[in-house]
Amino acid sequence: MGDKITAKTLAEEAGIQIVPGYKEDIPMMKKNLKKLQKILVIQ
Amino acid sequence: MIKATAGGGGRGMRVVEHEDDLISYAEITMQEAKNAFGNEKIYLEKFIANPRHIEVQIVGDGKGHAIHLGTRDCSMQRRHQKIIEEAPARNINEDALNKTYEACINLCKKIKYEGVGTIEFLYENDEFYFIEMNTRIQVEHPVTEMITGFDLVKAQLRIALNMNISLNQNDIKFSGHSMECRINAEDPETFQPSPGKITKMHTPGGFGIRYDSHIYGGLPFLPIMIRY
């Protein structure tokens, strides 16, 4: 089913419950990882 | 939990227990994923600490028909590798299971799934959480065959050859309980992979016993045959 994000998206669309998480593409640069850390802490 | 999008078999994932570790662990996982899978993409999901691993066997004919063949419980693992598999999974919330079956069939119909496959879940507190779908026959398929009498390999071949196959959920009857045990070539003290010659071998037999393997006494067990 391609990569795991694609699979999770297809499964969710079919009504299957997925593990809660952040399944958007995570940018590869360190500064963006820091942004992500802030997002997760706020959530 | 940090996971590689291209990961599998327990590889390419890391648990982050402290906020300060997030960035460094993400970078490590990305590098490992790049080395192992040629793809450094990662994603994040909630870490479920003590789940059972429950999976649903499905078969689809590629034309929008699909059935399920029940569950397997593959919770008995070591280093994220399955050791003992059972069918069916016991002590599962019936409502949650029926909803999951329905959703699995929906998924297969939606993508016109062709062949046999397994949809894997974490199960905790009466809830199923999708992990991944294995679009192939799996090592543990015999336990499903033993309780349904449904020949999964035959079905896969018939579907691949575009031969007629009848997929009717009402035809699937479940009977009994089946267990499978994987035997690994390991050092019994260190549990490290241990290739070598199989000097003696006695295969099990008897009513209800099924033995699937290519090995025999005298076979040199090569490093390439070991799954790390």
Side-chain angles (χ1 to χ4, degrees), chain B residues 53-55 82 118-121 129-132 134 138:
Chain B
H53 176 116
I54 307 294
E55 56 190 37
K82 297 165 188 169
T118 299
I119 304 178
E120 298 193 334
F121 296 90
Y129 298 100
F130 173 84
I131 313 174
E132 63 180 357
N134 287 321
Q138 284 189 289

Side-chain angles (χ1 to χ4, degrees), chain B residues 26-44:
Chain B
E27 288 175 331
I28 293 167
T29 309
M30 283 157 58
Q31 189 59 49
E32 286 176 352
K34 191 176 180 183
N35 294 342
F37 314 115
N39 178 346
E40 64 182 2
K41 284 188 178 176
I42 56 172
Y43 65 99
L44 304 177

Side-chain angles (χ1 to χ4, degrees), chain B residues 139-207:
Chain B
V139 171
E140 59 267 30
H141 76 275
V143 291
T144 296
E145 293 185 335
M146 292 296 277
I147 62 159
T148 59
F150 188 97
D151 189 331
L152 284 162
V153 176
K154 183 178 173 183
Q156 178 157 311
L157 291 172
R158 289 189 70 91
I159 292 165
L161 293 167
N162 207 24
M163 296 169 73
N164 285 335
I165 183 163
S166 171
L167 297 179
N168 186 342
Q169 191 66 56
N170 292 331
D171 291 342
I172 305 301
K173 307 292 181 199
F174 299 97
S175 174
H177 194 91
S178 183
M179 296 177 71
E180 173 179 306
C181 177
R182 300 193 197 188
I183 298 173
N184 297 322
E186 293 182 346
D187 183 304
E189 291 182 0
T190 63
F191 299 109
Q192 292 301 302
S194 176
K197 185 177 180 179
I198 299 171
T199 53
K200 281 187 182 176
M201 185 162 156
H202 180 74
T203 57
F207 181 73

Side-chain angles (χ1 to χ4, degrees), chain B residues 107-123:
Chain B
L107 174 63
C108 294
K109 287 181 174 174
K110 181 182 165 69
I111 62 175
K112 289 189 168 58
Y113 187 73
E114 186 173 19
V116 303
T118 299
I119 304 178
E120 298 193 334
F121 296 90
L122 299 177
Y123 179 77

Side-chain angles (χ1 to χ4, degrees), chain A residues 1 3-5 8 10 13-22 25-26 28 30 34 36-37 40-41, chain B residues 4-5 7 19 22-23 27 30 40-41 43-46 103 107 110 121 127-130 132-133:
Chain A
M1 292 180 78
D3 65 39
K4 285 174 184 280
I5 292 178
K8 280 165 77 95
L10 283 170
E13 286 171 1
I16 295 176
Q17 185 169 241
I18 63 171
V19 181
Y22 187 89
D25 252 358
I26 293 178
M28 300 303 157
K30 194 167 183 173
K34 283 184 177 164
L36 179 65
Q37 189 178 28
L40 291 170
V41 171
Chain B
T5 63
E19 182 193 327
L22 175 64
I23 291 173
E27 288 175 331
M30 283 157 58
E40 64 182 2
K41 284 188 178 176
Y43 65 99
L44 304 177
E45 65 183 25
K46 180 183 175 184
L107 174 63
K110 181 182 165 69
F121 296 90
E127 299 276 0
F128 284 87
Y129 298 100
F130 173 84
E132 63 180 357
M133 181 173 183

Side-chain angles (χ1 to χ4, degrees), chain B residues 3 5 9 13 17 20 36 50 62 76 82 100 103 118 133 136 140 144 154 169 172 179 196 211 213 227:
Chain B
K3 287 187 165 182
T5 63
M13 58 190 200
E17 294 183 10
D20 292 345
N50 194 26
M76 192 72 77
K82 297 165 188 169
T100 300
T118 299
M133 181 173 183
R136 56 180 166 80
E140 59 267 30
T144 296
K154 183 178 173 183
Q169 191 66 56
I172 305 301
M179 296 177 71
Y211 173 75
S213 184
R227 183 175 178 182

